[in-house]
Short mmCIF file of all heavy atoms in Angstrom, two decimals:
data_model
loop_
_atom_site.label_atom_id
_atom_site.label_comp_id
_atom_site.label_asym_id
_atom_site.label_seq_id
_atom_site.Cartn_x
_atom_site.Cartn_y
_atom_site.Cartn_z
N MET A 6 0.85 -1.19 0.01
CA MET A 6 -0.01 -0.02 0.04
C MET A 6 0.86 1.18 0.00
O MET A 6 1.83 1.34 0.76
CB MET A 6 -0.90 -0.02 1.29
CG MET A 6 -1.87 1.12 1.35
SD MET A 6 -3.07 0.68 2.60
CE MET A 6 -3.14 2.11 3.49
N ALA A 7 0.49 2.16 -0.84
CA ALA A 7 1.32 3.40 -0.94
C ALA A 7 1.17 4.24 0.26
O ALA A 7 0.07 4.41 0.84
CB ALA A 7 0.93 4.18 -2.22
N GLN A 8 2.25 4.88 0.66
CA GLN A 8 2.24 5.84 1.77
C GLN A 8 1.51 7.13 1.36
O GLN A 8 1.77 7.58 0.23
CB GLN A 8 3.66 6.19 2.21
CG GLN A 8 4.38 5.06 2.87
CD GLN A 8 3.97 4.95 4.38
OE1 GLN A 8 3.57 5.96 4.96
NE2 GLN A 8 4.09 3.77 4.91
N ARG A 9 0.65 7.60 2.22
CA ARG A 9 0.03 8.83 1.88
C ARG A 9 0.76 10.01 2.57
O ARG A 9 1.26 9.79 3.70
CB ARG A 9 -1.43 8.86 2.37
CG ARG A 9 -2.25 7.78 1.65
CD ARG A 9 -3.63 7.72 1.93
NE ARG A 9 -4.04 8.23 3.29
CZ ARG A 9 -5.20 8.75 3.62
NH1 ARG A 9 -6.17 8.82 2.70
NH2 ARG A 9 -5.49 9.11 4.81
N SER A 10 0.80 11.11 1.90
CA SER A 10 1.53 12.25 2.48
C SER A 10 0.70 12.83 3.66
O SER A 10 -0.48 12.53 3.85
CB SER A 10 1.70 13.35 1.37
OG SER A 10 0.43 13.97 1.11
N HIS A 11 1.39 13.68 4.47
CA HIS A 11 0.76 14.33 5.55
C HIS A 11 -0.48 15.17 5.06
O HIS A 11 -1.53 15.23 5.63
CB HIS A 11 1.71 15.26 6.25
CG HIS A 11 1.11 16.08 7.36
ND1 HIS A 11 0.60 15.56 8.51
CD2 HIS A 11 0.83 17.42 7.37
CE1 HIS A 11 0.10 16.58 9.21
NE2 HIS A 11 0.23 17.69 8.59
N GLU A 12 -0.32 15.83 3.89
CA GLU A 12 -1.43 16.63 3.31
C GLU A 12 -2.66 15.79 2.98
O GLU A 12 -3.69 16.18 3.20
CB GLU A 12 -0.86 17.43 2.10
CG GLU A 12 0.09 18.55 2.43
CD GLU A 12 1.50 17.99 2.68
OE1 GLU A 12 1.83 16.88 2.20
OE2 GLU A 12 2.26 18.66 3.37
N GLN A 13 -2.37 14.59 2.43
CA GLN A 13 -3.46 13.78 2.08
C GLN A 13 -4.20 13.25 3.28
O GLN A 13 -5.47 13.22 3.32
CB GLN A 13 -2.99 12.52 1.26
CG GLN A 13 -2.60 12.93 -0.16
CD GLN A 13 -1.90 11.74 -0.83
OE1 GLN A 13 -1.06 11.08 -0.25
NE2 GLN A 13 -2.22 11.58 -2.15
N ARG A 14 -3.47 12.86 4.33
CA ARG A 14 -4.14 12.40 5.63
C ARG A 14 -4.90 13.55 6.20
O ARG A 14 -5.97 13.41 6.76
CB ARG A 14 -3.12 11.93 6.56
CG ARG A 14 -2.56 10.56 6.14
CD ARG A 14 -1.75 9.90 7.28
NE ARG A 14 -0.73 10.81 7.79
CZ ARG A 14 0.55 10.77 7.42
NH1 ARG A 14 0.96 9.96 6.52
NH2 ARG A 14 1.40 11.61 7.89
N HIS A 15 -4.39 14.75 6.11
CA HIS A 15 -4.97 15.98 6.70
C HIS A 15 -6.35 16.26 6.02
O HIS A 15 -7.29 16.74 6.67
CB HIS A 15 -4.02 17.19 6.49
CG HIS A 15 -4.47 18.42 7.19
ND1 HIS A 15 -4.33 18.51 8.53
CD2 HIS A 15 -4.97 19.57 6.75
CE1 HIS A 15 -4.77 19.69 8.86
NE2 HIS A 15 -5.13 20.37 7.82
N LEU A 16 -6.51 15.88 4.77
CA LEU A 16 -7.78 16.15 3.98
C LEU A 16 -8.90 15.16 4.50
O LEU A 16 -10.00 15.38 4.26
CB LEU A 16 -7.54 15.97 2.57
CG LEU A 16 -6.67 17.05 1.91
CD1 LEU A 16 -6.48 16.64 0.39
CD2 LEU A 16 -7.26 18.36 2.02
N ASP A 17 -8.52 14.13 5.27
CA ASP A 17 -9.53 13.23 5.70
C ASP A 17 -10.16 13.66 7.06
O ASP A 17 -10.85 13.00 7.64
CB ASP A 17 -8.81 11.83 6.04
CG ASP A 17 -8.52 11.10 4.75
OD1 ASP A 17 -8.99 11.46 3.71
OD2 ASP A 17 -7.73 10.15 4.89
N LEU A 18 -9.89 14.91 7.43
CA LEU A 18 -10.42 15.47 8.70
C LEU A 18 -11.33 16.57 8.40
O LEU A 18 -11.20 17.32 7.46
CB LEU A 18 -9.26 16.01 9.55
CG LEU A 18 -8.34 15.01 10.18
CD1 LEU A 18 -7.21 15.70 10.87
CD2 LEU A 18 -9.01 14.06 11.15
N ILE A 19 -12.30 16.73 9.28
CA ILE A 19 -13.23 17.83 9.24
C ILE A 19 -12.93 18.69 10.44
O ILE A 19 -12.92 18.17 11.59
CB ILE A 19 -14.76 17.41 9.25
CG1 ILE A 19 -15.04 16.57 8.01
CG2 ILE A 19 -15.63 18.67 9.32
CD1 ILE A 19 -16.43 15.98 8.06
N PHE A 20 -12.60 19.94 10.29
CA PHE A 20 -12.27 20.87 11.41
C PHE A 20 -13.38 21.80 11.74
O PHE A 20 -13.90 22.42 10.87
CB PHE A 20 -11.03 21.64 11.07
CG PHE A 20 -9.74 20.89 10.91
CD1 PHE A 20 -9.40 20.24 9.82
CD2 PHE A 20 -8.92 20.74 12.10
CE1 PHE A 20 -8.17 19.53 9.64
CE2 PHE A 20 -7.72 20.00 12.02
CZ PHE A 20 -7.39 19.44 10.84
N GLY A 21 -13.72 21.91 13.00
CA GLY A 21 -14.63 22.91 13.50
C GLY A 21 -16.08 22.36 13.63
O GLY A 21 -16.48 21.54 12.85
N ALA A 22 -16.70 22.89 14.71
CA ALA A 22 -18.07 22.48 14.99
C ALA A 22 -19.07 22.71 13.80
O ALA A 22 -19.95 21.92 13.57
CB ALA A 22 -18.56 23.15 16.34
N ARG A 23 -18.93 23.91 13.22
CA ARG A 23 -19.89 24.29 12.13
C ARG A 23 -19.66 23.34 10.92
O ARG A 23 -20.70 22.88 10.33
CB ARG A 23 -19.68 25.70 11.71
CG ARG A 23 -20.20 26.72 12.72
CD ARG A 23 -20.31 28.08 12.22
NE ARG A 23 -20.80 28.98 13.24
CZ ARG A 23 -22.13 29.21 13.38
NH1 ARG A 23 -23.02 28.58 12.75
NH2 ARG A 23 -22.46 30.05 14.44
N ALA A 24 -18.46 22.99 10.58
CA ALA A 24 -18.21 22.11 9.45
C ALA A 24 -18.67 20.68 9.82
O ALA A 24 -19.25 20.02 8.91
CB ALA A 24 -16.72 22.14 9.13
N LEU A 25 -18.47 20.33 11.06
CA LEU A 25 -18.94 18.99 11.44
C LEU A 25 -20.45 18.90 11.44
O LEU A 25 -21.10 17.94 10.98
CB LEU A 25 -18.44 18.60 12.87
CG LEU A 25 -16.98 18.18 12.88
CD1 LEU A 25 -16.38 18.28 14.24
CD2 LEU A 25 -16.80 16.83 12.33
N ALA A 26 -21.09 20.02 11.86
CA ALA A 26 -22.60 20.02 11.83
C ALA A 26 -23.08 20.01 10.44
O ALA A 26 -24.15 19.34 10.14
CB ALA A 26 -23.11 21.27 12.57
N ARG A 27 -22.40 20.69 9.53
CA ARG A 27 -22.81 20.60 8.09
C ARG A 27 -22.69 19.21 7.54
O ARG A 27 -23.57 18.73 6.86
CB ARG A 27 -21.90 21.54 7.30
CG ARG A 27 -22.34 21.81 5.83
CD ARG A 27 -21.47 22.79 5.10
NE ARG A 27 -21.04 23.90 5.85
CZ ARG A 27 -19.67 24.06 6.17
NH1 ARG A 27 -18.80 23.17 5.74
NH2 ARG A 27 -19.26 25.08 6.89
N TYR A 28 -21.65 18.47 7.99
CA TYR A 28 -21.46 17.12 7.51
C TYR A 28 -22.47 16.16 8.18
O TYR A 28 -23.05 15.35 7.48
CB TYR A 28 -20.01 16.63 7.85
CG TYR A 28 -19.79 15.29 7.35
CD1 TYR A 28 -19.45 15.01 6.05
CD2 TYR A 28 -19.85 14.17 8.22
CE1 TYR A 28 -19.23 13.72 5.53
CE2 TYR A 28 -19.58 12.87 7.74
CZ TYR A 28 -19.29 12.64 6.40
OH TYR A 28 -19.07 11.44 5.95
N ILE A 29 -22.65 16.24 9.45
CA ILE A 29 -23.56 15.33 10.25
C ILE A 29 -24.97 15.63 9.99
O ILE A 29 -25.80 14.69 9.75
CB ILE A 29 -23.17 15.36 11.71
CG1 ILE A 29 -21.77 14.91 11.95
CG2 ILE A 29 -24.13 14.53 12.53
CD1 ILE A 29 -21.19 15.31 13.38
N PHE A 30 -25.34 16.86 10.08
CA PHE A 30 -26.80 17.29 10.06
C PHE A 30 -27.25 17.92 8.79
O PHE A 30 -28.43 18.25 8.60
CB PHE A 30 -27.10 18.18 11.27
CG PHE A 30 -26.78 17.64 12.55
CD1 PHE A 30 -25.77 18.27 13.33
CD2 PHE A 30 -27.44 16.58 13.13
CE1 PHE A 30 -25.43 17.75 14.62
CE2 PHE A 30 -27.14 16.06 14.36
CZ PHE A 30 -26.19 16.65 15.14
N ASP A 31 -26.28 18.26 7.95
CA ASP A 31 -26.56 19.08 6.75
C ASP A 31 -27.06 20.43 7.16
O ASP A 31 -27.90 21.01 6.46
CB ASP A 31 -27.48 18.32 5.82
CG ASP A 31 -27.39 18.95 4.36
OD1 ASP A 31 -26.37 19.52 4.01
OD2 ASP A 31 -28.38 18.80 3.65
N ASP A 32 -26.63 20.92 8.33
CA ASP A 32 -27.08 22.27 8.83
C ASP A 32 -26.12 22.79 9.81
O ASP A 32 -26.00 22.28 10.95
CB ASP A 32 -28.43 22.05 9.54
CG ASP A 32 -29.08 23.31 10.02
OD1 ASP A 32 -28.42 24.38 9.94
OD2 ASP A 32 -30.18 23.34 10.54
N GLU A 33 -25.27 23.70 9.36
CA GLU A 33 -24.21 24.21 10.26
C GLU A 33 -24.74 24.94 11.49
O GLU A 33 -24.05 25.19 12.40
CB GLU A 33 -23.18 24.98 9.56
CG GLU A 33 -23.65 26.32 9.09
CD GLU A 33 -22.48 27.07 8.35
OE1 GLU A 33 -21.63 26.46 7.68
OE2 GLU A 33 -22.43 28.24 8.50
N GLU A 34 -26.02 25.36 11.52
CA GLU A 34 -26.58 26.04 12.60
C GLU A 34 -26.76 25.11 13.81
O GLU A 34 -27.01 25.57 14.90
CB GLU A 34 -27.91 26.67 12.20
CG GLU A 34 -27.79 27.82 11.21
CD GLU A 34 -26.90 28.89 11.71
OE1 GLU A 34 -26.96 29.33 12.81
OE2 GLU A 34 -25.99 29.31 10.87
N LYS A 35 -26.68 23.82 13.63
CA LYS A 35 -26.83 22.84 14.69
C LYS A 35 -25.37 22.56 15.31
O LYS A 35 -25.19 21.49 15.93
CB LYS A 35 -27.40 21.57 14.19
CG LYS A 35 -28.82 21.77 13.78
CD LYS A 35 -29.50 20.47 13.32
CE LYS A 35 -30.97 20.75 13.00
NZ LYS A 35 -31.59 19.49 12.50
N TRP A 36 -24.43 23.52 15.20
CA TRP A 36 -23.04 23.21 15.65
C TRP A 36 -22.97 22.90 17.17
O TRP A 36 -22.00 22.21 17.56
CB TRP A 36 -22.21 24.47 15.27
CG TRP A 36 -22.58 25.75 15.95
CD1 TRP A 36 -23.46 26.64 15.56
CD2 TRP A 36 -22.03 26.24 17.20
NE1 TRP A 36 -23.49 27.68 16.38
CE2 TRP A 36 -22.62 27.50 17.45
CE3 TRP A 36 -21.09 25.73 18.12
CZ2 TRP A 36 -22.37 28.19 18.61
CZ3 TRP A 36 -20.79 26.48 19.19
CH2 TRP A 36 -21.44 27.68 19.41
N LYS A 37 -23.85 23.50 17.96
CA LYS A 37 -23.75 23.19 19.38
C LYS A 37 -23.98 21.68 19.70
O LYS A 37 -23.38 21.15 20.65
CB LYS A 37 -24.77 24.02 20.17
CG LYS A 37 -24.37 25.49 20.21
CD LYS A 37 -25.34 26.27 21.01
CE LYS A 37 -24.99 27.75 21.01
NZ LYS A 37 -26.01 28.53 21.72
N ALA A 38 -24.88 21.07 18.89
CA ALA A 38 -25.10 19.60 19.13
C ALA A 38 -23.94 18.76 18.91
O ALA A 38 -23.76 17.59 19.42
CB ALA A 38 -26.24 19.17 18.21
N VAL A 39 -22.93 19.23 18.10
CA VAL A 39 -21.74 18.44 17.77
C VAL A 39 -20.99 18.10 19.07
O VAL A 39 -20.50 16.96 19.24
CB VAL A 39 -20.85 19.24 16.88
CG1 VAL A 39 -19.47 18.65 16.71
CG2 VAL A 39 -21.49 19.33 15.44
N TYR A 40 -20.93 18.99 20.01
CA TYR A 40 -20.15 18.78 21.27
C TYR A 40 -20.79 17.67 22.11
O TYR A 40 -20.07 16.95 22.70
CB TYR A 40 -20.04 20.09 22.03
CG TYR A 40 -19.16 21.13 21.33
CD1 TYR A 40 -19.76 22.10 20.56
CD2 TYR A 40 -17.78 21.01 21.51
CE1 TYR A 40 -18.92 23.01 19.93
CE2 TYR A 40 -16.99 22.04 20.79
CZ TYR A 40 -17.56 22.95 20.00
OH TYR A 40 -16.81 23.83 19.35
N ARG A 41 -22.12 17.60 22.05
CA ARG A 41 -22.75 16.50 22.80
C ARG A 41 -22.47 15.14 22.24
O ARG A 41 -22.62 14.09 22.92
CB ARG A 41 -24.27 16.73 22.92
CG ARG A 41 -24.64 17.93 23.78
CD ARG A 41 -26.17 17.98 24.03
NE ARG A 41 -26.99 17.91 22.83
CZ ARG A 41 -27.39 18.99 22.14
NH1 ARG A 41 -27.06 20.26 22.61
NH2 ARG A 41 -28.14 18.89 21.13
N LEU A 42 -22.15 15.11 21.01
CA LEU A 42 -21.94 13.86 20.24
C LEU A 42 -20.42 13.45 20.18
O LEU A 42 -20.06 12.50 19.52
CB LEU A 42 -22.44 13.93 18.82
CG LEU A 42 -23.95 14.12 18.71
CD1 LEU A 42 -24.36 14.51 17.30
CD2 LEU A 42 -24.70 12.91 19.26
N LYS A 43 -19.58 14.25 20.84
CA LYS A 43 -18.18 14.06 20.71
C LYS A 43 -17.71 12.58 20.96
O LYS A 43 -17.01 11.99 20.11
CB LYS A 43 -17.49 14.94 21.71
CG LYS A 43 -15.93 14.91 21.59
CD LYS A 43 -15.28 15.94 22.59
CE LYS A 43 -13.77 15.75 22.53
NZ LYS A 43 -13.15 16.63 23.47
N ARG A 44 -18.06 12.06 22.09
CA ARG A 44 -17.67 10.63 22.38
C ARG A 44 -18.32 9.65 21.50
O ARG A 44 -17.66 8.70 20.98
CB ARG A 44 -17.97 10.31 23.84
CG ARG A 44 -17.61 8.86 24.18
CD ARG A 44 -17.74 8.63 25.67
NE ARG A 44 -16.56 9.12 26.31
CZ ARG A 44 -16.46 9.65 27.52
NH1 ARG A 44 -17.47 9.69 28.29
NH2 ARG A 44 -15.27 10.08 27.93
N GLU A 45 -19.59 9.82 21.23
CA GLU A 45 -20.36 8.81 20.48
C GLU A 45 -19.87 8.70 18.99
O GLU A 45 -19.87 7.69 18.43
CB GLU A 45 -21.87 9.24 20.49
CG GLU A 45 -22.79 8.20 19.92
CD GLU A 45 -24.21 8.55 20.10
OE1 GLU A 45 -24.56 9.47 20.90
OE2 GLU A 45 -25.04 7.86 19.56
N LEU A 46 -19.47 9.89 18.44
CA LEU A 46 -19.02 9.86 17.03
C LEU A 46 -17.55 9.83 16.87
O LEU A 46 -17.04 9.90 15.72
CB LEU A 46 -19.57 11.08 16.33
CG LEU A 46 -21.10 11.10 16.17
CD1 LEU A 46 -21.55 12.32 15.41
CD2 LEU A 46 -21.61 9.89 15.49
N GLY A 47 -16.82 9.72 17.96
CA GLY A 47 -15.35 9.61 17.87
C GLY A 47 -14.69 10.90 17.51
O GLY A 47 -13.57 10.94 16.84
N LEU A 48 -15.24 12.09 17.93
CA LEU A 48 -14.65 13.37 17.61
C LEU A 48 -13.62 13.63 18.64
O LEU A 48 -13.51 13.10 19.76
CB LEU A 48 -15.71 14.44 17.71
CG LEU A 48 -16.99 14.19 16.81
CD1 LEU A 48 -18.03 15.31 16.97
CD2 LEU A 48 -16.59 13.99 15.32
N PHE A 49 -12.69 14.60 18.28
CA PHE A 49 -11.52 14.86 19.15
C PHE A 49 -11.15 16.28 18.95
O PHE A 49 -11.53 16.92 17.96
CB PHE A 49 -10.38 13.89 18.88
CG PHE A 49 -9.99 13.86 17.47
CD1 PHE A 49 -9.01 14.69 16.90
CD2 PHE A 49 -10.61 13.01 16.52
CE1 PHE A 49 -8.60 14.56 15.59
CE2 PHE A 49 -10.28 12.91 15.23
CZ PHE A 49 -9.26 13.76 14.70
N LYS A 50 -10.28 16.78 19.77
CA LYS A 50 -9.75 18.15 19.62
C LYS A 50 -8.32 18.14 19.10
O LYS A 50 -7.53 17.27 19.48
CB LYS A 50 -9.73 18.83 21.04
CG LYS A 50 -11.08 19.19 21.57
CD LYS A 50 -11.20 20.65 21.87
CE LYS A 50 -12.61 21.00 22.28
NZ LYS A 50 -12.69 22.31 22.82
N MET A 51 -8.10 19.03 18.20
CA MET A 51 -6.66 19.20 17.65
C MET A 51 -6.45 20.64 17.51
O MET A 51 -7.26 21.36 16.91
CB MET A 51 -6.57 18.46 16.30
CG MET A 51 -5.21 18.63 15.68
SD MET A 51 -5.16 17.86 13.99
CE MET A 51 -5.31 16.20 14.39
N HIS A 52 -5.42 21.13 18.16
CA HIS A 52 -5.04 22.54 18.14
C HIS A 52 -6.27 23.38 18.57
O HIS A 52 -6.48 24.44 18.03
CB HIS A 52 -4.56 22.95 16.75
CG HIS A 52 -3.43 22.19 16.20
ND1 HIS A 52 -2.17 22.31 16.79
CD2 HIS A 52 -3.27 21.26 15.27
CE1 HIS A 52 -1.33 21.49 16.20
NE2 HIS A 52 -1.99 20.84 15.20
N GLY A 53 -6.91 22.94 19.61
CA GLY A 53 -8.03 23.65 20.19
C GLY A 53 -9.36 23.64 19.37
O GLY A 53 -10.29 24.36 19.79
N GLN A 54 -9.42 22.87 18.35
CA GLN A 54 -10.56 22.80 17.50
C GLN A 54 -11.10 21.38 17.51
O GLN A 54 -10.36 20.44 17.41
CB GLN A 54 -10.22 23.20 16.04
CG GLN A 54 -11.17 24.15 15.38
CD GLN A 54 -10.72 24.49 14.03
OE1 GLN A 54 -9.73 24.02 13.49
NE2 GLN A 54 -11.43 25.42 13.45
N ILE A 55 -12.45 21.25 17.55
CA ILE A 55 -13.07 19.94 17.54
C ILE A 55 -12.92 19.42 16.04
O ILE A 55 -13.12 20.16 15.12
CB ILE A 55 -14.49 19.93 18.01
CG1 ILE A 55 -15.03 18.50 18.18
CG2 ILE A 55 -15.42 20.78 17.12
CD1 ILE A 55 -16.34 18.40 19.04
N CYS A 56 -12.64 18.16 15.94
CA CYS A 56 -12.31 17.57 14.61
C CYS A 56 -12.95 16.16 14.54
O CYS A 56 -13.27 15.60 15.60
CB CYS A 56 -10.89 17.37 14.39
SG CYS A 56 -9.92 18.87 14.52
N GLY A 57 -13.05 15.69 13.31
CA GLY A 57 -13.50 14.32 13.15
C GLY A 57 -13.16 13.81 11.79
O GLY A 57 -12.95 14.55 10.90
N ARG A 58 -13.12 12.47 11.70
CA ARG A 58 -12.84 11.86 10.44
C ARG A 58 -14.23 11.35 9.85
O ARG A 58 -15.01 10.67 10.49
CB ARG A 58 -11.96 10.60 10.58
CG ARG A 58 -10.61 10.91 11.04
CD ARG A 58 -9.71 9.69 10.98
NE ARG A 58 -8.41 9.98 11.41
CZ ARG A 58 -7.45 10.55 10.71
NH1 ARG A 58 -7.73 10.95 9.50
NH2 ARG A 58 -6.23 10.77 11.18
N PRO A 59 -14.53 11.77 8.61
CA PRO A 59 -15.83 11.31 8.02
C PRO A 59 -16.04 9.87 8.05
O PRO A 59 -17.13 9.40 8.35
CB PRO A 59 -15.70 11.90 6.60
CG PRO A 59 -14.80 13.02 6.64
CD PRO A 59 -13.80 12.61 7.72
N ALA A 60 -14.99 9.08 7.79
CA ALA A 60 -15.16 7.63 7.81
C ALA A 60 -15.59 7.09 9.20
O ALA A 60 -16.46 6.22 9.29
CB ALA A 60 -13.87 6.90 7.34
N THR A 61 -14.97 7.61 10.22
CA THR A 61 -15.35 7.24 11.59
C THR A 61 -16.76 7.70 11.95
O THR A 61 -17.49 6.91 12.54
CB THR A 61 -14.37 7.80 12.56
OG1 THR A 61 -13.04 7.44 12.25
CG2 THR A 61 -14.68 7.40 14.04
N ILE A 62 -17.07 8.92 11.63
CA ILE A 62 -18.40 9.39 11.86
C ILE A 62 -19.49 8.57 11.18
O ILE A 62 -20.46 8.10 11.78
CB ILE A 62 -18.59 10.87 11.37
CG1 ILE A 62 -17.66 11.71 12.27
CG2 ILE A 62 -20.02 11.36 11.44
CD1 ILE A 62 -17.45 13.17 11.73
N ASP A 63 -19.24 8.23 9.90
CA ASP A 63 -20.18 7.44 9.14
C ASP A 63 -20.30 5.97 9.76
O ASP A 63 -21.43 5.45 9.88
CB ASP A 63 -19.65 7.25 7.68
CG ASP A 63 -19.85 8.61 6.94
OD1 ASP A 63 -20.53 9.53 7.44
OD2 ASP A 63 -19.23 8.75 5.88
N GLN A 64 -19.19 5.43 10.12
CA GLN A 64 -19.16 4.12 10.72
C GLN A 64 -19.95 4.04 11.97
O GLN A 64 -20.77 3.18 12.28
CB GLN A 64 -17.69 3.69 10.95
CG GLN A 64 -17.59 2.33 11.60
CD GLN A 64 -16.15 1.93 11.92
OE1 GLN A 64 -15.32 2.85 12.05
NE2 GLN A 64 -15.84 0.70 12.08
N ARG A 65 -19.78 5.06 12.90
CA ARG A 65 -20.44 5.09 14.17
C ARG A 65 -21.97 5.32 14.03
O ARG A 65 -22.71 4.76 14.71
CB ARG A 65 -19.83 6.20 15.10
CG ARG A 65 -18.36 5.96 15.35
CD ARG A 65 -18.12 5.52 16.77
NE ARG A 65 -16.77 5.31 17.11
CZ ARG A 65 -16.05 5.93 18.06
NH1 ARG A 65 -16.71 6.70 18.90
NH2 ARG A 65 -14.83 5.59 18.25
N ILE A 66 -22.32 6.15 13.03
CA ILE A 66 -23.74 6.37 12.76
C ILE A 66 -24.38 5.10 12.24
O ILE A 66 -25.45 4.76 12.68
CB ILE A 66 -23.94 7.57 11.78
CG1 ILE A 66 -23.56 8.87 12.49
CG2 ILE A 66 -25.41 7.58 11.27
CD1 ILE A 66 -23.53 10.09 11.60
N ALA A 67 -23.72 4.44 11.34
CA ALA A 67 -24.29 3.17 10.77
C ALA A 67 -24.38 2.09 11.88
O ALA A 67 -25.41 1.37 11.89
CB ALA A 67 -23.34 2.66 9.66
N ALA A 68 -23.41 2.00 12.76
CA ALA A 68 -23.51 1.04 13.86
C ALA A 68 -24.64 1.35 14.76
O ALA A 68 -25.37 0.44 15.22
CB ALA A 68 -22.21 1.06 14.67
N ARG A 69 -24.90 2.62 15.04
CA ARG A 69 -26.07 3.04 15.88
C ARG A 69 -27.32 2.76 15.22
O ARG A 69 -28.29 2.27 15.89
CB ARG A 69 -25.92 4.54 16.17
CG ARG A 69 -26.92 5.01 17.17
CD ARG A 69 -26.75 4.34 18.48
NE ARG A 69 -27.62 4.87 19.53
CZ ARG A 69 -27.21 5.74 20.40
NH1 ARG A 69 -26.02 6.18 20.46
NH2 ARG A 69 -28.15 6.17 21.33
N GLU A 70 -27.44 2.95 13.93
CA GLU A 70 -28.64 2.65 13.15
C GLU A 70 -28.92 1.16 13.17
O GLU A 70 -30.03 0.78 13.31
CB GLU A 70 -28.54 3.14 11.73
CG GLU A 70 -28.61 4.66 11.58
CD GLU A 70 -28.27 5.13 10.16
OE1 GLU A 70 -27.69 4.41 9.40
OE2 GLU A 70 -28.56 6.31 9.91
N ALA A 71 -27.87 0.37 13.01
CA ALA A 71 -28.03 -1.10 13.02
C ALA A 71 -28.46 -1.57 14.38
O ALA A 71 -29.39 -2.47 14.50
CB ALA A 71 -26.71 -1.78 12.65
N ALA A 72 -27.88 -1.03 15.45
CA ALA A 72 -28.31 -1.42 16.80
C ALA A 72 -29.76 -1.07 17.05
O ALA A 72 -30.47 -1.84 17.67
CB ALA A 72 -27.39 -0.72 17.81
N THR A 73 -30.17 0.12 16.61
CA THR A 73 -31.57 0.49 16.77
C THR A 73 -32.46 -0.44 15.95
O THR A 73 -33.58 -0.82 16.48
CB THR A 73 -31.77 2.01 16.27
OG1 THR A 73 -30.84 2.83 17.10
CG2 THR A 73 -33.18 2.49 16.49
N ALA A 74 -32.14 -0.73 14.78
CA ALA A 74 -32.95 -1.65 13.99
C ALA A 74 -33.07 -3.06 14.68
O ALA A 74 -34.16 -3.63 14.60
CB ALA A 74 -32.33 -1.82 12.61
N MET A 75 -32.02 -3.51 15.24
CA MET A 75 -32.05 -4.84 15.95
C MET A 75 -32.92 -4.75 17.17
O MET A 75 -33.65 -5.73 17.42
CB MET A 75 -30.63 -5.28 16.30
CG MET A 75 -29.73 -5.59 15.18
SD MET A 75 -30.43 -6.89 14.14
CE MET A 75 -30.34 -8.26 15.18
N GLU A 76 -32.96 -3.57 17.83
CA GLU A 76 -33.80 -3.46 19.03
C GLU A 76 -35.28 -3.50 18.63
O GLU A 76 -36.10 -4.06 19.38
CB GLU A 76 -33.47 -2.13 19.81
CG GLU A 76 -32.17 -2.14 20.50
CD GLU A 76 -31.85 -0.75 21.06
OE1 GLU A 76 -32.73 0.13 21.01
OE2 GLU A 76 -30.72 -0.61 21.61
N LYS A 77 -35.61 -2.93 17.48
CA LYS A 77 -36.96 -2.87 17.05
C LYS A 77 -37.45 -4.27 16.60
O LYS A 77 -38.61 -4.58 16.79
CB LYS A 77 -37.04 -1.99 15.83
CG LYS A 77 -37.03 -0.49 16.22
CD LYS A 77 -37.19 0.39 15.01
CE LYS A 77 -37.12 1.88 15.49
NZ LYS A 77 -37.25 2.77 14.36
N ILE A 78 -36.55 -5.10 16.07
CA ILE A 78 -36.86 -6.50 15.69
C ILE A 78 -37.07 -7.39 16.87
O ILE A 78 -37.97 -8.10 16.93
CB ILE A 78 -35.74 -7.04 14.80
CG1 ILE A 78 -35.75 -6.29 13.49
CG2 ILE A 78 -35.98 -8.55 14.59
CD1 ILE A 78 -34.57 -6.67 12.56
N ALA A 79 -36.25 -7.13 17.92
CA ALA A 79 -36.35 -8.02 19.12
C ALA A 79 -37.62 -7.75 20.00
O ALA A 79 -38.37 -7.06 19.92
CB ALA A 79 -35.12 -7.81 20.00
#
């Protein structure tokens, strides 16, 4: 597997509560809700800014959806 440069890895991050809210909720005005989801979605702070990886966020949301679907079946 080819090594990715620091710049390429850096592009895999979303920086800031507003940008994360835009990604998660499709509404950057919901930026305050991002902080409550920090642990659940695997968000973290870097250089004083909340950040997240889209792949991790998507994976955690999908897992939560699957768990909820299983609860409804049971």
